[in-house]
Amino acid sequence: VTSTNTEEVDSYLGTIKIYPNPSQNEVFIKNLPESKAEFRVYDLSGKLLMEGQILEQESISVTKLPQGTYLLEIQAATYKVTKKIIRE
């Protein structure tokens, strides 16, 4: 996404897929608007638990997280999106 048009960016963000959710081992991220992004995983109190870089259609291991609900933040140069994920 190279446009700064908010409508256009929003339409790309709606195509990001995170699955399976809930997950026991890893979550896959598909359809990122850019080929490279950073991710952060927070608990519901806002504490940062994990961070790193992802490439399009890459997975993130959640095996070290205890069972619960988390916030997955994905950020690149032109967007930032946060999705809820559940670790079973």
Side-chain angles (χ1 to χ4, degrees), residues 43-87:
D43 66 15
L44 294 181
S45 70
K47 180 180 177 186
L48 177 64
L49 302 175
M50 296 172 54
E51 63 183 328
Q53 289 198 1
I54 52 173
L55 302 175
E56 188 170 358
Q57 299 189 25
E58 192 167 336
S59 66
I60 299 171
S61 174
V62 294
T63 56
K64 293 182 181 179
L65 296 174
Q67 292 181 347
T69 302
Y70 300 91
L71 298 175
L72 171 61
E73 178 185 275
I74 301 169
Q75 183 173 358
T78 59
Y79 68 91
K80 178 177 169 180
V81 64
T82 302
K83 304 264 186 177
K84 183 169 51 171
I85 59 171
I86 299 170
R87 162 75 160 95

